Amino acid sequence: MTSAASVRSEPIPTRLEARLSRGLRALGFDPWLLVLVVVMISFGLVMVYSASWDVSWRLQQDPNALFRRQLANLGIGLMAMFVAARMPLRWLRRLALPIMLFSMFALLAVLLLNGGDGPRRSFLGGSVQPSEMAKLAVILYLAVWMESKGQRLSEWGYGFLPLMTLIGIAGGLILLQPDLSAVLTVAVVALTMFYLAGARLSQSVLITSGSAVVGYLLVRLTNTGRERWADYLAGLVDIERASYHVQHSLQAFYTGGLLGRGLGASREKFGLLPAPHTDSIFSVIGEELGLVGALLVVALFVLLLWRGLKIAAQADDRLAMLLASGITFWICLEAMINMSVLLGLLPFAGNALPLFSYGGSSLVTTLAGVGFLLNVSRRPPLDFGSESHVSTIGIGWGHRRRRVSRLGRRARPRRES
């Protein structure tokens, strides 16, 4: 009788939690990251429709045209996420170089095929932006490249100088479009990965100082950089002297107040706020959902940063750690830059708000990156330690010529004790 009573008195929440935990583990991925991304995608779709129907009507006489296109982009992105989440990570050791070369070819092609003096950043009327693909390609390649170098990565001629060469080639092609924000994003993410991979303190200091100098030169020597920097400094002194874009962005946040005007009730999106459905969607959220809605978006990215870094910290393989940390930092850096620019805290940049802004290239590459994050979070790791070759380009003082290296004939997992 006592045993029966004890069984009946067992807390029901405990049994439910145990069943829920077993069910979530059966998915094979980090369940909270998956739930978080689903919430962000759903939230983003609602806001894309709210912010885009007026633009869609003016451009195509159909208020739903852009939203339907975003749904198609989402379908492609979900397929990319599924493939990235299920493929064995050891395949990246062979695929990293072809992916990197393809992205460099796309960056070169967009310069050659688009004539004129204006920006040359996309194919197919803006639907495909090679610079977005290049961001993810650089992360994938550097994760494999840094993992293959092992302890020699900290050597100046074997790690530091080749890294600067890789960043210079990718960044130079993007700069020619021109796209300053994409160049700085690629550089910052790459240098962060280099630090996490084991760079020396002297190398980190030199990289930081050199990056600051290069960034300053880019701002001072390009017309776009000088104009944006001047608008930024003027806006810090007097908000009425800030750029047109920032002024209307701040006006949207101001009129939104604490709780907002209501979903779909934004006024700034009707021809006043530039790009309300793409770069400025965070401002539309602030106007329609108020400070509460804006803080909710910030909280979602903070949670994404937490889950991504936790997945990276728990990775059993150096390649997985570098991949997860690079992708997490890239997505959250893009979000931070976008939100800071619209609040006048940073000079203007064209970074989209990941998972929220309208756009095929941004959404597809971000979801592919999320897929790799889910892949790293799989328990247990099924593919580490399998035989494979590493395909990278060897560039360094130790190489007499450039070649495709076959470093590590076995993919040696570096498990932390």
Side-chain angles (χ1 to χ4, degrees), residues 222-243:
T222 60
N223 295 329
T224 302
R226 287 196 300 269
E227 181 180 350
R228 292 180 179 181
W229 184 253
D231 289 339
Y232 171 67
L233 294 180
L236 292 179
V237 177
D238 183 359
I239 194 61
E240 293 186 354
R241 295 173 56 193
S243 67

Side-chain angles (χ1 to χ4, degrees), residues 85-117:
R86 299 301 303 179
M87 66 176 285
L89 280 186
R90 67 175 181 272
W91 289 8
L92 282 182
R93 294 185 171 100
R94 288 183 178 273
L95 295 176
L97 179 58
I99 292 174
M100 185 68 178
L101 292 177
F102 177 79
S103 67
M104 294 301 101
F105 174 78
L107 289 174
L108 183 60
V110 78
L111 296 175
L112 298 177
L113 297 179
N114 291 323
D117 299 328

Side-chain angles (χ1 to χ4, degrees), residues 184-302:
L184 296 178
T185 300
V186 168
V188 171
V189 172
L191 299 180
T192 301
M193 292 178 65
F194 186 53
Y195 173 78
L196 294 175
R200 296 177 182 177
L201 179 61
S202 57
Q203 293 175 330
S204 300
V205 172
L206 181 60
I207 286 173
T208 303
S209 303
S211 300
V213 172
V214 171
Y216 176 78
L217 291 176
L218 289 177
V219 169
R220 301 300 298 175
L221 298 179
T222 60
N223 295 329
T224 302
R226 287 196 300 269
E227 181 180 350
R228 292 180 179 181
W229 184 253
D231 289 339
Y232 171 67
L233 294 180
L236 292 179
V237 177
D238 183 359
I239 194 61
E240 293 186 354
R241 295 173 56 193
S243 67
Y244 175 87
H245 198 150
V246 172
Q247 287 189 42
H248 281 277
S249 173
L250 294 176
Q251 179 67 25
F253 283 106
Y254 176 77
T255 55
L258 180 62
L259 299 177
R261 291 180 175 273
L263 185 62
S266 169
R267 296 178 182 175
E268 292 292 328
K269 67 185 180 185
F270 293 110
L272 298 175
L273 181 66
H277 57 307
T278 55
D279 295 350
S280 302
I281 197 167
F282 184 60
S283 301
V284 176
I285 294 173
E287 184 178 8
E288 295 188 350
L289 304 181
L291 178 63
V292 173
L295 291 179
L296 176 59
V297 174
V298 174
L300 289 173
F301 280 104
V302 171

Side-chain angles (χ1 to χ4, degrees), residues 323-404:
L323 184 63
S325 57
I327 289 173
T328 301
F329 189 75
W330 160 53
I331 294 175
C332 294
L333 177 65
E334 294 262 20
M336 185 201 72
I337 293 175
N338 176 273
M339 292 184 285
S340 299
V341 164
L342 293 175
L343 291 172
L345 302 178
L346 288 177
F348 188 82
N351 298 65
L353 186 61
L355 302 176
F356 284 85
S357 292
Y358 170 87
S361 299
S362 175
L363 183 61
V364 171
T365 53
T366 301
L367 287 176
V370 170
F372 284 113
L373 265 182
L374 291 170
N375 195 321
V376 175
S377 73
R378 292 170 65 177
R379 298 290 187 272
L382 301 177
D383 56 328
F384 300 137
S386 302
E387 294 187 5
S388 66
H389 291 83
V390 178
S391 182
T392 59
I393 295 179
I395 304 174
W397 296 113
H399 298 282
R400 294 187 178 275
R401 65 182 186 277
R402 291 178 175 83
R403 61 185 178 85
V404 176

